[in-house]
Amino acid sequence: MFLKSKTFIAFSLALLSFSQHAFSLQFGNPVDSDKLIKVSTVMASPDDYLASPITVEGTITGVCEKRGCWMTLASDKRFENLRIKVEDGDMVFPMTAKGSKAIVTGKLDKIQLSLGRTKALLAHKAQQAGESFDANSVTEAMAIYQLVPSGVEIIE
């Protein structure tokens, strides 16, 4: 009886120890930690990072609810984030990943918007934030940036 209870305690401690360690989900190729750059550094001068693959990390703040085709990473700078976008079905990010840390290697893409699309995007963001928006105050088109990943590691 004593031997069985010792075995049970040892097994329980091993199980508890295992459950405290994080595990990760891998998508695509392995991430390249040697190319790790802060999201805030990338967003400060994004055009400097268009030519070569980069690696960023951050907390996942949003995931596409329909197809899992994008997720948003929080920057190390407050109120800044970077969208991670794949073709539908290439990688499917789980909704349960929200709040987890992600490390992503990929290519930064620049999407130049027209003035009309810029106004529509800013109007949508203002509506989501419950703020008023004057479309006439926008006089220049803007560009948005997103990272197209070749590899993603989600650490839960």
Side-chain angles (χ1 to χ4, degrees):
M1 177 77 165
F2 179 70
L3 185 57
K4 284 184 181 180
S5 63
K6 270 180 97 171
T7 303
F8 176 74
I9 291 170
F11 176 74
S12 297
L13 289 174
L15 188 59
L16 180 62
S17 173
F18 176 75
S19 67
Q20 290 176 342
H21 292 8
F23 68 93
S24 65
L25 299 171
Q26 303 281 329
F27 298 90
N29 299 323
V31 296
D32 186 354
S33 298
D34 292 339
K35 293 182 166 91
L36 188 62
I37 302 168
K38 290 182 176 184
V39 171
S40 62
T41 302
V42 172
M43 298 310 288
S45 55
D47 289 337
D48 293 347
Y49 297 96
L50 296 173
S52 301
I54 60 172
T55 301
V56 295
E57 70 179 343
T59 301
I60 301 169
T61 58
V63 177
C64 173
E65 294 180 12
K66 294 183 181 180
R67 291 193 171 93
C69 61
W70 60 262
M71 64 181 177
T72 307
L73 288 187
S75 171
D76 51 293
K77 183 177 177 184
R78 286 185 75 179
F79 308 114
E80 185 175 67
N81 59 53
L82 179 61
R83 185 179 180 130
I84 311 301
K85 175 71 173 107
V86 297
E87 292 291 324
D88 289 354
D90 282 358
M91 297 178 192
V92 179
F93 305 121
M95 287 295 298
T96 56
K98 272 186 178 178
S100 297
K101 178 181 170 184
I103 304 171
V104 182
T105 298
K107 184 152 179 352
L108 191 65
D109 273 353
K110 179 179 183 176
I111 302 168
Q112 186 64 51
L113 302 179
S114 67
L115 183 59
R117 285 196 64 199
T118 298
K119 289 180 180 185
L121 176 64
L122 294 175
H124 177 71
K125 286 184 176 185
Q127 180 184 19
Q128 284 182 319
E131 299 171 351
S132 62
F133 176 74
D134 177 14
N136 293 326
S137 68
V138 180
T139 59
E140 291 184 27
M142 62 184 252
I144 58 174
Y145 297 87
Q146 61 186 21
L147 190 66
V148 178
S150 58
V152 176
E153 182 177 357
I154 299 174
I155 303 165
E156 296 185 353

